[in-house]
């Protein structure tokens, strides 16, 4: 288990590190690059946490230190990082819809300043919402056990709210948002195809009558006229 998870996580580490390297360059100033930077950073955090959690549950399962890491670091911090990724994906979808459906409003909403403010709010909300997971486990008699808080009604309600906010709701929003994006792009595609078919084909008429009618004399016509003038003079 830990071997398979480690390989998958290392692929995610490499890809997200490359993404961050590109997005953090100074020449990418558009608002969606702000969201993609936050998304790559949160995904990179998640895959590192899952990587060490896989080791803690696999080859290092007998280590109390790594057990504490899995219980007290991976659970709350991983909850926050995955929540940030989910909400950021929703922001990216919303921005694309605004750009296509309301181009005028996008000039005010789809800016770098708005993207940074929205990302900061997402990070703050995700961190605060994940605080209860810091009190799920306790260490007692050298063993990691569930805290009584984890068996409370508040903890159960919190888990249901998390399931709705970061599970069902994002799934519906992303599904409907991407369907609307596809529906908005289809008329533009058909419009471009119709305009392409409606363009008149260029006509090439090289007859002397058409050239003289258009006031255009080709070099061959000029030579013919000059040759005829010389013959008339000789006669």
């Amino acid at each position: 288990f830990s071997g398979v998870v480690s390989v998958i996580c290392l692929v995610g580490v490499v890809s997200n590190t490359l993404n961050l390297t590109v997005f953090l360059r100074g020449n990418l100033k558009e608002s969606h690059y702000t969201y993609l930077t936050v998304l790559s950073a949160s995904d990179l955090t998640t895959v590192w946490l899952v990587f060490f959690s896989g080791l803690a549950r696999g080859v290092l399962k007998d280590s109390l230190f790594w057990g504490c890491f899995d219980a007290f670091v991976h659970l709350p911090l991983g909850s926050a990082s995955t929540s940030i990724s989910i909400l950021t994906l929703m922001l990216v979808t919303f921005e694309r819809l605004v750009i296509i459906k309301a181009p005028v409003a996008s000039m005010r909403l789809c800016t770098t300043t708005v993207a940074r403010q929205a990302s900061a709010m997402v990070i703050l909300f995700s961190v605060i919402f994940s605080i209860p997971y810091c009190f799920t486990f306790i260490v007692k008699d050298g063993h990691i056990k569930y805290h009584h808080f984890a068996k409370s009604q508040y903890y159960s309600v919190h888990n249901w709210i998390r399931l709705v906010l970061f599970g069902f709701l994002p799934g519906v929003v992303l599904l409907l948002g991407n369907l609307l994006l596809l529906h908005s792009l289809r008329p533009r595609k058909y419009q471009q195809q119709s305009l392409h078919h409606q363009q008149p084909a260029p006509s090439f008429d090289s007859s002397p009558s058409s050239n003289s009618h258009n006031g255009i004399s080709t070099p061959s016509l000029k030579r013919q006229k000059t040759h005829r003038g010389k013959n008339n003079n000789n006669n």
Side-chain angles (χ1 to χ4, degrees):
F1 171 78
S2 59
V4 175
V5 171
S6 300
V7 172
I8 296 174
C9 289
L10 289 177
V11 174
V13 167
V14 173
S15 59
N16 284 286
T17 301
L18 291 176
N19 290 337
L20 272 178
T21 303
V22 174
F23 295 146
L24 290 176
R25 291 181 179 179
N27 56 345
L28 300 177
K29 300 295 184 180
E30 290 79 4
S31 59
H32 59 273
Y33 288 118
T34 301
Y35 295 125
L36 294 179
T37 302
V38 175
L39 182 62
S40 298
S42 60
D43 286 344
L44 181 61
T45 303
T46 301
V47 293
W48 271 122
L49 291 172
V50 174
F51 173 78
F52 290 114
S53 177
L55 295 178
R57 299 181 184 186
V59 295
L60 301 173
K61 62 181 180 179
D62 297 328
S63 173
L64 179 62
F65 172 80
W66 286 105
C68 291
F69 170 84
D70 193 28
F72 302 108
V73 178
H74 172 233
L75 180 59
L77 189 57
S79 173
S81 62
T82 53
S83 301
I84 292 170
S85 298
I86 293 171
L87 294 179
T88 304
L89 278 175
M90 294 174 65
L91 289 176
V92 171
T93 304
F94 175 76
E95 186 185 55
R96 290 176 179 175
L97 279 175
V98 172
I99 292 174
I100 294 177
K101 292 291 188 179
V104 177
S106 66
M107 300 177 64
R108 179 173 51 89
L109 296 175
C110 303
T111 62
T112 304
T113 302
V114 173
R116 290 176 179 175
Q117 293 175 352
S119 298
M121 293 176 62
V122 163
I123 294 172
L124 181 62
F125 175 77
S126 299
V127 170
I128 294 175
F129 193 85
S130 301
I131 289 178
Y133 293 110
C134 297
F135 308 101
T136 305
F137 297 97
I138 59 172
V139 178
K140 187 176 182 180
D141 300 329
H143 298 282
I144 301 175
K145 299 181 180 181
Y146 279 101
H147 196 276
H148 63 84
F149 173 73
K151 302 177 182 179
S152 64
Q153 185 177 2
Y154 172 80
Y155 190 83
S156 178
V157 171
H158 181 272
N159 284 334
W160 277 106
I161 294 175
R162 173 178 169 77
L163 179 62
V164 173
L165 289 181
F166 301 101
F168 294 147
L169 182 62
V172 173
V173 170
L174 292 176
L175 176 61
L176 295 178
N178 285 285
L179 288 176
L180 287 174
L181 286 173
L182 291 175
H183 179 73
S184 301
L185 292 176
R186 288 184 63 185
R188 292 190 176 186
K189 180 180 178 181
Y190 292 146
Q191 185 178 7
Q192 291 177 355
Q193 291 178 352
S194 62
L195 290 175
H196 177 73
H197 290 302
Q198 290 176 2
Q199 289 180 355
S203 59
F204 300 96
D205 192 354
S206 59
S207 62
S209 59
S210 63
N211 291 330
S212 60
H213 178 73
N214 294 328
I216 302 174
S217 60
T218 60
S220 59
L221 292 176
K222 290 182 179 180
R223 287 196 298 269
Q224 291 177 3
K225 291 179 179 180
T226 304
H227 181 69
R228 291 176 180 175
K230 290 182 179 179
N231 291 334
N232 292 333
N233 293 330
N234 292 329
N235 294 329

